[in-house]
Each structure stands twice: as structure tokens, then as C-alpha cells.
Amino acid sequence: MPMMMEDYDDLFSDPLPLPPPPLALGLPERLDELRSVGCCRKIAWSKMGCIAYISADGKELRLATLQHHKKKGIWDLHLHTDLAIAEQIVRIFKGRELANLSWNPSGLELVVADIYGRIAICTIFIAMNRLMVSKVWINDPDKNINALVGSFWLNAKRVVPLYRSAVRQDGHWNYAVTQHEMKGPYNPWATKTALSAMVIVSRGGSVRLVYQGQDNQWQDVRHEIAELSTSNDLLTHAALCPDKGDSLLLAVHTVGKQLRLYRATIDWQQSTGKDQVASGPKISMQHLETIDDCCPMLDYTTQNQETYILPSSEAQLSHLELLPQAADPRSKESASPTILATFSYLPNQYSVNGVREQPYTVLSRWVMRNVETTLHTAFGSLTSKKSNSPVRLKESAALARLQDVRVEHVAIDLQQIILSTTVAVAYSDGSIEFRDRFTMQLMATDEEPDRITSLIQVGFGFQAADPSLHVALSPNTCVKTFFGHEHEPRMRNVQALNRDIDIQDTIFTEKTTAAFVLHNAMAGFNNNNNDDLLLTMQDYMNRLPDDESLAQRHKMEQDFLRDLYRTLGVNLDQSTDPQSDKLLRNPMLQRCLSLQAALGNRSDKEPRSVISKVAWVMMNLRMIALTFAFAFAKSGNAPEGEILQAMIGLARWSMTLTDYIVDQLLELKRRIEPDQDFDMNIIRERIRTTRSPALLLLLTSTARTFLRYNCRGLRGLSTLSSGHLDQQHPHSHPSALLPPSHALSEIFARAHLSPRALESVFLETDSLVKHAYAAVQPTISEQRQQALEREMLVSGEIPEALWGVVERIIGKGGLLERVGEREGVSEGELFFGGFEELGLGEDRRTREWWARRTVDEVRKIVLRERSADGGEMGLNDEKGQLRLRTCSRCGAVMEDLLPVRGASGWMMNLQRTCFCAGFWMML
């Protein structure tokens, strides 16, 4: 028996270490590609939200976008494969393999390069999945020496905000922001229009400036870094960044493992007079420093004090980045430009003893420092003026080596984010690390309850569950899209890691909410598409426990919207000094309303919240108000013909909305018994159960301002239409004017209140609200009044200060009753009237109306209608060739009308994005 126990002891003692997980399929080939050439990005995500990737055979350009499905209430990655641009790219490059994709900073222009350095520039045209080729350079010969090893888009000259942190003080989160000017050089002709410029570097050492000139046409100019003497001088990688004096720093890595640093200066040679003609830009290069045998440190000590010997022959560069000068939040000084290189090691599958080694990556850094050189004091005696002080020479640049960082994974991608203050490193196992560029330390979860800097610091991250070879991060780094050897793009968003989401953990939820505000504020001021943030926020809410998730989700939504409106500086109090023009042109208001509408409308299976309906109506009112304003401005206050035709759907929708508001107010009035006192609790409960936005649209000053502004346009259209019908001699006007005039006249004739009467209602409501606020002014400051307006919009609760206004509107002898008697409003006709086209109802009749029709939700017209038996009646699709777009966020549909030169071309330019600020996709 003892002998048997000894045998068991031998069997179960000291188990052998488990081998590392298998490598991702195709990883050795991908790593070889990364080591041989610096420009080999096969998937890229633009700032506008368009994802471009190269097909499996390497010949086609394909596109993808994030899309929200209203029926299912989920986001997914929508792949667009049937595209004309794919065939066009194949023809342009004559079937040669594509090597690299790169979006410009605005996210509208894409550079496609093949393996021989030929490039084509494509531009997004209205819809994100429609690209137009604007310029090609395909005359270079098929030589590997022309392959691209580095590229850099020049910055636009602008100041951008950087939200560093949110700090909680006195129960409120305050968001610290600093302003940063993007460094040059800039395209000098991009003063009034967005003109781009790009610098690309080839394997043979050719630096090429590709830019848009004053005439918007693409041009290029080249400069050779140095003559090639041996094959060791060929470049493998190049990186650029802006530096002082509107110059560029250029770091290159050669086949001979040299790291060279240059300063590039661009002389744009603009003409200074009418008779002078510019000869085009010129590039000059200055060599700064050279480092031989560029590789990781041979003696590398880990945090566990284990020393690794890294043979230089096995250390091969896979990525090279130049981090520009950036402000260090820990000190008052700015961090100097830094070269960041990754060296990935992929061992043989098995070693001699049969155990596979562990792959790893080393992050190496060199910081650029200015060195002051002096001569010996003896040289001072050679001058006529004797001096014992050292002779100072001109400052020179030198590279100082910093400590390496070793990671037990294989890096496949490197990306600078948040104004180059953070570096995102993607690994082949699917994980992504976010590191501080100043220390290269991981941005770890911080348990400090009153200060947050990002979702990563709160505890969010990417799960390491999907091996990948190609990765691209979304504009706000909350979602990644990736693919491996199967070459099928997929997506994942950041989630709370190593933490079970506890609904009682209010501190974690509050910090998460503040982090979302921080990221959305940054996205708003940088014009980033924020679909990825919306996706991540909705995903987090969906993972809350079911028992109390609804109340918790509503609280999180309201806290988020309340802080976002405040942080972006959106003034929602228009009751005392309404500024319609500024309100209409405020892009931050549109962004906030879009998020408010989307958060309260998760899917068709759940009822839309009242605050979501209010935001959705306000966005439509804003779009219609802008259209009316441009229509009257462009046509000298007298729109005619084609412009009037374009106004029909908008006028009908606007008048239907006002009838709906009157009908819903009458319904609230009927809830109060004639012989009982006015009870505000009955009104609040009715709004809560029916989710009707009518009273809130009337009381919220911002919505009321939009309604009143639209009344001006409606009043003008009513006057014009009646004027055309009064013409006794129709031949004195073009016949094309008559149909729009008749249609508009019928719309105003069917309405229960005229535009002039509506305007009087809104003006009187303005007066009631002003007096109500003035009555409590000693106890409510102007700042508190703004907070009340904001709270009413984001919570749907009417403040107590306005309860008297509600009674004077819908109470006995109130505004509603007086206007109804004066205008002869029929409550029965309103009650049985159809408001289905507004999309605000939740009844079966409304659902069936929308199920049978395809509606252009921008022009407010029915494009196609299906009969009860399923047959189609094409109202505006006579030839059956209707082209449609859909919004990637709200799912709205509109006809694909391309901008043309003509009377209504301005209107189509207004429709380049959806009224919800989402971007279009071709169906």
C-alpha cells in the first residue's frame, strides 16, 4: 500500500506547465508583412463612421458601417459588398493587389494604395457606402522600390478641445477642458474650404506631397531623401508628425536596421501678386540623427526581475510611430516628440525540448531632445574680443533611449488616440491595451470615486476572445472591427471587465455615466461620429439586471443627458430672449437631441419614451425651419415652382403636427371634470401613461421657439398659395406654379387652425411662461431657470413654476378654449382625424400605416404604398427604379436625390445628413 501511494505521489506531483495557447491562423504571414513594409493596413475606420477594408483576394475595396435595427433593437456591422466602387478600383489598379488604406482627418477622403505605391483618392459622396474616385496616380512602374512604407495627413488649422477628466464636486460632475491648436504645416489654401494634403514615403526614400491646390484639384511633388548606395539603405518603415515651426519630423527604418531622424520643411511658394505664378511647393530635408543597430535592449529585466537575453537577429521591427509634442497633465511642460517602435518575436513552433516558446512584443522608445553644443573656452581667445566664456553653437537634436516595455503578446496594430496622449496597442489574441504615451504604462482601473478620465479608467475594455490579424478602432475607440484569416469583418465593443454589473452599485453607474458624457463631449467638439458611443451605452444598459433595470436605465439616461446639455453649453432657456437663428444653427443641440431620441427608442417592440418623442419632433421642426428659411432667402421671399413643390410635404406635416398638439391638449382638458378643481396630478399621470409629447412641446421654450419659427414659413406659404389661386389670368404665370399652389391651399384649408392663429397661440404661451418665471424670480435665479428648462426636456416632468401656465392653457376659459371658439375648431373632427404620418402613436392603426408605406421622412412624402392585398402602388416610383437611402442611426428613409444645379439644389445640400445627425447609407 505505501508503495502504491508513492506511485500516486509521483503521478500527481509538480505538474508540467501548460503550453501557451495556439497562435492565430495566418499570424506568421501577417507578421512577415508588418516587418517588410510599413503601410499594410487592410482595414480602416473613418471619423465619419465609414469602415473600408480590402477583400480576401486583395483586389477589391469594400465598405461597412454600424447600423441600428429598430425592429430588433440591436446594432450590428452592415457589410456593403455590391458596390460600384469595388469594380472601379479593380479597373484602376488593373487587378493588382491592394496594400494600404488611410482616411484623412475629416473622414471624408480615403487613399487606396497598391503594393507598388500607386494611389487612388476616393471621397464619400452623401452616403457612407458610396465613394467617388477623385484622383489617381497609376503611372509608376511595377517595382517594389515604389511601395509605400509611411504616410501622414497634414492637420487642418483649428483649435480642438481636450476633455481630460471629470471631477465630482458638491454632487455634480464638472468636466475639465483645455484648448489645443493642431500643429502645422497646413494646406495654405484650406482657409475657406476643407482642402487636404498628405505626405507619403516610399521604400526607395522618395518623399511625396499630395495636396489639393487653390482650384481644388489634386497635385503632387516629390523629393528624394538620399541616394541609395546599397540595399541596406532601402526603407522598411517611416513615420511622420508635426513639429515646431510648421515643420515635419520624419523617422525612417532601413533594411540595415538604422533608425534615422529628419526634419522636413514645406515651402508652399504661394503667389504674392496678380502677375506672379506659383511654381508649386518644394520640400527640403535636414538630417538630425542616426541610430545604428536599432533593436530592443539586449539585457531586458521584467517587473519580476527576470532577465531575458534578446538576440538582435530575432528582434525585427513591425511598427514605427512618431508621437508629436503633447502637454503632459502631470507637469506644466510639454513632452518632447517620441519615436515608438514595436519589435515582435514569434518563435518556432517547437523548441528542442518539445515545448513551444512564448511569443512577445517589445515597445521601444527614443525621445527627441535639443542638445546645446559648446566649444572649448580657448576658442574665445581667437577672436578680437577676448572671452573666457564657452562659445555656444546652434542647438542640435539628439535621440535619448527610454526604458523598453515587454508584453507577452504579439502586437498587430498601433494607433495614437486622444490627441496623441494615449497609445492603443492591439494584439493577435484579440486584446487591446491603452497605454499612457508619457510613461507607456497601462491605463489601469482607478477606484477613485470622485474623478474619472475615460471608460478605460472606470473599468471598461475589450475582451481577449477573438484572435485577429487586422484591427481598426472606431472614432471614439469604443468599438473595434477586426478579421482574421477568414477575412470576414466583425465587431466588438468595450464592456465592463472583471465586474458583475450590480444595480445597487450606484458609484460605478455614476462614474460610467460621467465617462460617457466625457467621451461624447469630445466627439461633439471634434465632429466625430458617435454611433459607437451610443452602441456601447445601450449595450451597457441592456446588461443591467431585469428586476429594476427600467428605473435604473431611465435615471442613467436623464443624468447623462442633463450633464451633456450642460457640458456642451446648449442653452435650452429661450423663454426670456429667444434667439432662433443661433438655435437653428447649433450643431450641439442637434447632437444632444439625437442621443435623447435614440436612447428612448430602443426597438419597435418597446414603447418610445415621452422625452424621446419630444426630441424627435424637435429635430424635425429644426430641419423644417432651416428649409423654410433657405427657401425664402434663396428666392427673394417668394418661392415659386420647384421650390413650392418641395415645400408641400413639409407644410402638410407641420400642419398635421399642430392639429395633433391641439387634439392632445383637448384630450387633457376632457380629463378634468367641469365641476372639479384643476388637478395637475391628473395631467401628469395622463402624460406618463400615454407618453404624449404635446404639452411638453408647448411648454419647453426651445420646442416652442421652433414651432413659432415654423409658423412664419407656414404663414408665408399660405399667403403665396392663396395669391396664386386669386390670379384671374393663369397664363400670366407658368403653369408649373398652379399644382403646388393648389396642393398648399388644400393643406391650409383642411387645417383646424391657420398659421396666423397658431402663431398667436405660441406668442401668448410665451407671455404666460415669462410671467410665471417672473412671479417666482426672487426665489429662482436665471441659472436655476435654465436648469428647470433642461430638467423639463430630459425628464418629461413639468416644473411646479409652470403648473399655473398649464391651467391657463387647458383649464376652463383658458387659451385653448378661447382659440377654439374663435377659430371654430371641431373637437369631433380632431378626435377622428388621422395623425398616423407623424409616427407618434403606438396604436395598431399607426403601425399598419407605416408598414404599408415607404415614406421619405426628410421631404415628408409617400414614395411607395402597398395595398391591403400586398400589391404595390408606386406614387413617386412610376418606373420602379426608386433609389433609397437609410439613416444608420434612426432608420429614417429618403429618396436618393443627388445635388444638381437648380432651384432646389440647396435643399438637397441640406439633406446630406439625416435630421437626427446620423449618416446615410444606400439601400
Side-chain angles (χ1 to χ4, degrees):
M1 187 69 179
M3 186 176 297
M4 292 180 62
M5 291 300 296
E6 290 179 3
D7 293 340
Y8 282 116
D9 290 341
D10 293 339
L11 182 62
F12 295 103
S13 63
D14 296 334
L16 294 174
L18 294 175
L23 300 176
L25 293 177
L27 181 58
E29 293 80 4
R30 174 57 179 162
L31 200 55
D32 286 343
E33 184 181 28
L34 289 170
R35 291 168 172 173
S36 63
V37 62
C39 285
C40 55
R41 182 178 293 276
K42 301 298 192 300
I43 185 168
W45 202 325
S46 88
K47 185 178 178 179
M48 308 302 290
C50 180
I51 303 167
Y53 65 100
I54 298 173
S55 60
D57 61 4
K59 297 180 180 180
E60 292 185 4
L61 172 67
R62 294 182 178 176
L63 304 175
T65 50
L66 291 179
Q67 183 180 16
H68 183 254
H69 295 275
K70 290 196 299 183
K71 291 184 178 180
K72 300 178 182 179
I74 61 172
W75 288 83
D76 70 358
L77 192 63
H78 188 74
L79 306 181
H80 310 278
T81 55
D82 186 17
L83 298 173
I85 187 65
E87 299 178 358
Q88 191 174 3
I89 289 295
V90 172
R91 289 196 304 269
I92 290 174
F93 290 101
K94 300 178 181 179
R96 295 180 178 87
E97 184 179 349
L98 304 180
N100 189 71
L101 302 173
S102 176
W103 289 99
N104 74 335
S106 68
L108 291 174
E109 290 165 331
L110 173 70
V111 165
V112 183
D114 70 359
I115 58 176
Y116 299 117
R118 301 183 185 89
I119 64 173
I121 300 178
C122 307
T123 305
I124 292 180
F125 187 62
I126 299 180
M128 283 196 292
N129 58 338
R130 178 167 54 197
L131 296 184
M132 309 291 289
V133 178
S134 53
K135 182 66 177 179
V136 296
W137 282 275
I138 57 173
N139 296 325
D140 292 333
D142 293 355
K143 293 184 178 180
N144 290 329
I145 199 173
N146 296 324
L148 302 187
V149 296
S151 64
F152 176 76
W153 287 94
L154 300 189
N155 293 322
K157 190 174 185 178
R158 62 191 185 98
V159 177
V160 296
L162 175 60
Y163 284 85
R164 291 195 178 277
S165 62
V167 179
R168 180 161 45 191
Q169 295 177 345
D170 300 328
H172 298 284
W173 289 97
N174 297 318
Y175 301 86
V177 59
T178 55
Q179 303 294 328
H180 293 266
E181 183 177 2
M182 303 300 291
K183 290 188 175 182
Y186 318 102
N187 187 332
W189 296 287
T191 54
K192 296 182 179 180
T193 57
L195 301 180
S196 300
M198 183 186 195
V199 177
I200 56 180
V201 183
S202 70
R203 187 190 297 274
S206 174
V207 178
R208 187 173 173 188
L209 173 65
V210 179
Y211 66 98
Q212 283 179 287
Q214 195 169 7
D215 57 356
N216 284 15
Q217 298 300 311
W218 286 95
Q219 305 170 50
D220 71 324
V221 62
R222 306 190 187 209
H223 178 82
E224 301 298 327
I225 297 179
E227 293 185 2
L228 300 177
S229 57
T230 66
S231 60
N232 282 339
D233 292 328
L234 292 174
L235 307 184
T236 62
H237 298 76
L240 301 99
C241 77
D243 197 38
K244 59 184 180 180
D246 288 346
S247 63
L248 288 171
L249 290 178
L250 168 63
V252 298
H253 180 267
T254 68
V255 173
K257 295 189 176 182
Q258 277 191 339
L259 181 64
R260 303 172 184 172
L261 182 65
Y262 298 88
R263 185 182 303 280
T265 306
I266 303 174
D267 181 4
W268 295 93
Q269 299 194 62
Q270 293 178 271
S271 58
T272 57
K274 295 182 179 180
D275 299 332
Q276 296 182 359
V277 179
S279 58
K282 290 185 178 180
I283 304 173
S284 58
M285 306 291 297
Q286 177 189 1
H287 178 258
L288 300 178
E289 179 80 348
T290 296
I291 295 178
D292 296 319
D293 197 17
C294 175
C295 62
M297 295 180 180
L298 294 182
D299 293 326
Y300 178 78
T301 304
T302 65
Q303 295 179 353
N304 298 327
Q305 303 301 317
E306 298 179 4
T307 302
Y308 294 85
I309 305 299
L310 305 179
S312 59
S313 60
E314 295 180 353
Q316 298 187 46
L317 184 102
S318 57
H319 296 88
L320 185 66
E321 289 284 333
L322 245 177
L323 308 178
Q325 186 179 23
D328 190 344
R330 287 170 292 271
S331 64
K332 297 182 180 180
E333 299 181 356
S334 297
S336 300
T338 304
I339 299 175
L340 175 61
T342 66
F343 298 87
S344 295
Y345 174 66
L346 201 61
N348 294 328
Q349 217 174 12
Y350 294 99
S351 63
V352 178
N353 57 10
V355 179
R356 192 171 70 233
E357 298 178 80
Q358 182 74 29
Y360 59 82
T361 296
V362 177
L363 305 176
S364 300
R365 293 171 295 156
W366 293 263
V367 63
M368 177 180 166
R369 304 191 190 281
N370 292 323
V371 179
E372 188 179 77
T373 306
T374 60
L375 295 178
H376 193 272
T377 55
F379 284 92
S381 62
L382 299 178
T383 61
S384 57
K385 297 181 179 180
K386 306 296 183 180
S387 175
N388 293 326
S389 60
V391 179
R392 300 182 183 276
L393 301 179
K394 188 177 180 181
E395 286 188 350
S396 60
L399 293 175
R401 184 71 179 262
L402 301 178
Q403 180 66 40
D404 287 357
V405 177
R406 176 186 169 114
V407 184
E408 304 300 325
H409 304 285
V410 178
I412 59 171
D413 193 74
L414 204 64
Q415 185 174 331
Q416 304 177 40
I417 59 175
I418 315 178
L419 297 180
S420 298
T421 59
T422 306
V423 177
V425 187
Y427 300 102
S428 60
D429 63 350
S431 63
I432 295 181
E433 291 181 344
F434 296 89
R435 293 181 173 271
D436 188 338
R437 69 81 46 98
F438 306 102
T439 63
M440 209 47 62
Q441 297 300 311
L442 285 174
M443 297 182 64
T445 302
D446 188 355
E447 297 296 337
E448 186 178 355
D450 296 327
R451 183 180 182 274
I452 61 101
T453 57
S454 66
L455 283 170
I456 305 302
Q457 181 252 337
V458 172
F460 283 69
F462 291 101
Q463 298 279 0
D466 304 288
S468 52
L469 303 177
H470 305 269
V471 180
L473 287 175
S474 62
N476 304 291
T477 66
C478 291
V479 180
K480 69 173 182 177
T481 180
F482 62 96
F483 57 82
H485 72 284
E486 75 286 350
H487 225 85
E488 187 72 18
R490 292 179 289 166
M491 74 159 189
R492 292 287 185 273
N493 60 281
V494 292
Q495 298 175 0
L497 300 178
N498 302 323
R499 173 188 288 268
D500 295 328
I501 299 176
D502 183 6
I503 197 165
Q504 303 299 329
D505 191 353
T506 57
I507 294 179
F508 180 76
T509 302
E510 289 176 3
K511 291 178 66 175
T512 300
T513 304
F516 278 118
V517 174
L518 201 66
H519 283 275
N520 274 281
M522 178 77 80
F525 283 115
N526 286 279
N527 298 319
N528 286 1
N529 183 309
N530 58 353
D531 284 345
D532 57 335
L533 288 167
L534 178 60
L535 178 160
T536 305
M537 189 172 180
Q538 290 178 332
D539 177 71
Y540 172 78
M541 292 179 177
N542 291 339
R543 294 176 184 272
L544 293 173
D546 293 333
D547 50 358
E548 300 179 22
S549 62
L550 185 61
Q552 184 73 2
R553 187 165 65 241
H554 287 170
K555 182 182 183 305
M556 185 176 180
E557 288 178 11
Q558 293 175 19
D559 291 345
F560 167 75
L561 293 170
R562 191 181 297 112
D563 277 7
L564 187 63
Y565 279 112
R566 179 170 56 88
T567 303
L568 293 181
V570 179
N571 181 16
L572 295 172
D573 182 19
Q574 303 291 317
S575 57
T576 55
D577 185 21
Q579 298 178 346
S580 304
D581 293 340
K582 290 184 178 180
L583 199 63
L584 289 175
R585 290 171 172 79
N586 188 344
M588 299 306 162
L589 173 62
Q590 185 187 23
R591 277 180 168 265
C592 293
L593 291 175
S594 178
L595 290 170
Q596 180 171 330
L599 289 173
N601 187 22
R602 301 174 66 195
S603 71
D604 290 343
K605 299 177 182 179
E606 299 181 19
R608 184 188 297 183
S609 67
V610 64
I611 62 171
S612 173
K613 292 180 180 179
V614 170
W616 188 82
V617 172
M618 288 174 65
M619 289 189 295
N620 278 274
L621 290 172
R622 176 184 178 275
M623 175 199 65
I624 295 173
L626 282 172
T627 306
F628 285 165
F630 274 91
F632 283 92
K634 292 288 183 180
S635 54
N637 294 325
E640 296 184 349
E642 188 180 357
I643 297 181
L644 277 182
Q645 183 69 40
M647 299 295 107
I648 293 175
L650 303 180
R652 182 180 61 251
W653 192 91
S654 299
M655 297 306 296
T656 304
L657 175 65
T658 55
D659 283 351
Y660 168 81
I661 292 176
V662 174
D663 173 67
Q664 293 296 301
L665 294 178
L666 289 171
E667 176 63 25
L668 292 176
K669 184 177 183 297
R670 287 192 287 268
R671 295 291 162 176
I672 306 296
E673 297 294 337
D675 56 345
Q676 74 178 89
D677 294 335
F678 186 85
D679 190 351
M680 190 62 195
N681 291 324
I682 297 177
I683 303 299
R684 296 169 62 193
E685 180 63 20
R686 181 64 181 174
I687 294 175
R688 188 187 66 82
T689 55
T690 63
R691 293 174 291 277
S692 171
L695 186 57
L696 290 170
L697 289 171
L698 193 60
L699 293 178
T700 306
S701 62
T702 305
R704 191 170 62 252
T705 301
F706 285 147
L707 287 166
R708 189 176 64 248
Y709 196 94
N710 278 4
C711 281
R712 300 178 189 175
L714 293 171
R715 180 158 43 88
L717 291 176
S718 177
T719 303
L720 285 172
S721 61
S722 61
H724 284 307
L725 291 179
D726 291 340
Q727 296 294 331
Q728 299 297 323
H729 303 286
H731 295 292
S732 62
H733 293 272
S735 59
L737 291 177
L738 295 180
S741 302
H742 278 283
L744 287 169
S745 296
E746 291 178 2
I747 290 171
F748 294 121
R750 288 196 302 266
H752 292 78
L753 290 180
S754 66
R756 193 174 298 277
L758 289 170
E759 195 169 9
S760 67
V761 171
F762 300 139
L763 287 174
E764 187 166 348
T765 305
D766 274 341
S767 177
L768 291 174
V769 172
K770 287 180 183 178
H771 284 88
Y773 281 137
V776 293
Q777 195 65 42
T779 59
I780 297 181
S781 63
E782 182 179 348
Q783 188 175 8
R784 175 59 180 162
Q785 183 174 317
Q786 293 180 5
L788 288 176
E789 287 283 340
R790 183 168 56 245
E791 188 66 25
M792 180 164 49
L793 181 61
V794 303
S795 69
E797 290 290 335
I798 300 172
E800 190 173 352
L802 299 183
W803 286 8
V805 176
V806 178
E807 183 176 1
R808 297 186 66 178
I809 292 176
I810 64 176
K812 187 176 181 179
L815 173 61
L816 184 64
E817 187 175 316
R818 287 185 281 108
V819 173
E821 292 176 355
R822 185 174 67 242
E823 298 294 323
V825 175
S826 172
E827 292 190 30
E829 291 182 6
L830 277 173
F831 183 80
F832 292 103
F835 305 114
E836 294 82 13
E837 69 171 309
L838 296 177
L840 297 174
E842 298 166 2
D843 56 317
R844 182 170 58 87
R845 186 176 173 183
T846 300
R847 291 195 299 269
E848 291 179 351
W849 192 94
W850 282 90
R852 290 175 50 190
R853 291 167 177 83
T854 301
V855 181
D856 187 322
E857 297 184 51
V858 174
R859 295 184 296 156
K860 307 300 182 187
I861 61 174
V862 177
L863 299 174
R864 281 196 297 247
E865 184 174 355
R866 287 168 288 279
S867 59
D869 58 0
E872 291 208 2
M873 299 177 290
L875 301 181
N876 291 278
D877 188 19
E878 298 178 358
K879 298 181 180 180
Q881 298 178 350
L882 195 65
R883 296 182 305 176
L884 299 177
R885 310 176 199 152
T886 184
C887 176
S888 61
R889 173 175 295 185
C890 72
V893 174
M894 78 165 292
E895 186 179 0
D896 182 39
L897 299 175
L898 301 181
V900 295
R901 295 181 181 272
S904 62
W906 56 269
M907 184 176 179
M908 287 180 238
N909 288 328
L910 283 176
Q911 300 163 358
R912 288 182 177 272
T913 59
C914 180
F915 56 82
C916 78
F919 292 91
W920 297 115
M921 301 186 310
M922 293 296 301
L923 289 177

